[in-house]
Amino acid sequence: MEVQGGDHPYVPRDLKLPGFVPCFLTQLDIVSVYGVASTLVFAFMWIFSGRFPKISKGDRLLMCWWIFTGLTHMVLEGYFVFSPNFYKEKTPFYLAEVWKEYSKGDSRYAARDSAVISVEGITAVLEGPACLLAVYAIATRKSYRYILQVAISLGQLYGTAVYFITAVLEGDNFAVSPYYYYWYYVFANSFWVWIPTIIVVHCWKRISSAVQIQDQTKTKTR
């Protein structure tokens, strides 16, 4: 059912969303579908990566992460970027339902905040495909696989920092309740803070070790 512009669950209450249509799916439905889909993606990549020789379990886990985050960027966030009227969707289309629900934790998505669109746009268009390239690079043991992962991870950390900082500068009052604030805004986004950080450290050590070995080799040949 279509409701009036001010009749929505989001904060601030004076946010204008003409033609807003409430969620058809429940929170449990939305989270469950995302959880099952994510599990299937991880399971598929874990099994598939086992077919490649000389790939460590650590690299297999990285391949699982990169395909998961890559598809999340391209499909989920890509839909948001290119669907400005998702809140008007009159059918239980899953991707629209996700953003209607997530906007309870950060209404800037429903409001089409320029900072959020910019961050998500870069993430979907550039980082998403780069993540899939990282899967290929790890599987085929390309020489650029570590620097590529560093570049993507730093991009994710930068985007997440901009996302949080702009919210603070704008008052950090975009969640319906503390529950949605900590569950959606804080917890859901935290994975794109600590996982990229771990990957940067891991790749930094690998690159440093390779350079050190190369330097030692050059010294011995002189």
Side-chain angles (χ1 to χ4, degrees):
M1 178 183 293
E2 185 174 315
V3 298
Q4 297 300 316
D7 192 8
H8 55 72
Y10 310 127
V11 174
R13 295 301 302 156
D14 60 356
L15 176 63
K16 301 299 181 183
L17 296 176
F20 171 76
V21 177
C23 284
F24 292 90
L25 303 178
T26 65
Q27 179 191 47
L28 180 61
D29 292 333
I30 295 171
V31 174
S32 296
V33 170
Y34 185 72
V36 170
S38 300
T39 301
L40 290 175
V41 168
F42 266 84
F44 164 77
M45 184 49 66
W46 179 259
I47 295 172
F48 181 71
S49 63
R51 299 172 62 88
F52 292 88
K54 300 180 181 179
I55 299 294
S56 67
K57 289 184 178 179
D59 281 341
R60 292 174 67 187
L61 284 174
L62 285 171
M63 291 173 69
C64 291
W65 163 252
W66 287 125
I67 193 170
F68 160 76
T69 190
L71 292 176
T72 297
H73 292 332
M74 295 172 65
V75 178
L76 206 59
E77 295 166 78
Y79 172 81
F80 163 76
V81 172
F82 298 106
S83 302
N85 295 318
F86 70 86
Y87 62 84
K88 297 181 181 180
E89 180 60 49
K90 297 180 180 179
T91 64
F93 181 58
Y94 180 73
L95 296 180
E97 295 291 283
V98 167
W99 293 113
K100 287 181 186 180
E101 179 65 22
Y102 182 80
S103 293
K104 294 177 183 177
D106 188 350
S107 65
R108 294 181 297 168
Y109 282 81
R112 305 296 293 177
D113 179 83
S114 58
V116 169
I117 295 174
S118 298
V119 170
E120 294 288 15
I122 294 173
T123 300
V125 176
L126 297 181
E127 293 180 11
C131 290
L132 301 188
L133 178 59
V135 174
Y136 167 77
I138 295 171
T140 54
R141 302 180 65 81
K142 295 296 184 182
S143 59
Y144 60 79
R145 63 188 183 276
Y146 294 118
I147 192 63
L148 175 62
Q149 292 179 80
V150 169
I152 302 171
S153 296
L154 290 178
Q156 291 177 326
L157 288 170
Y158 177 77
T160 305
V162 171
Y163 175 66
F164 284 129
I165 292 172
T166 52
V168 172
L169 294 176
E170 294 173 15
D172 199 17
N173 183 33
F174 303 103
V176 172
S177 69
Y179 169 80
Y180 288 104
Y181 180 85
Y182 288 105
W183 176 240
Y184 291 170
Y185 179 72
V186 177
F187 176 74
N189 288 291
S190 67
F191 292 93
W192 280 269
V193 175
W194 62 270
I195 293 179
T197 300
I198 291 174
I199 292 175
V200 168
V201 173
H202 166 72
C203 292
W204 179 278
K205 290 180 179 179
R206 289 284 186 166
I207 294 171
S208 298
S209 177
V211 172
Q212 184 178 28
I213 293 173
Q214 185 180 46
D215 289 343
Q216 291 174 348
T217 301
K218 287 183 178 179
T219 301
K220 291 179 181 180
T221 56
R222 288 176 182 176

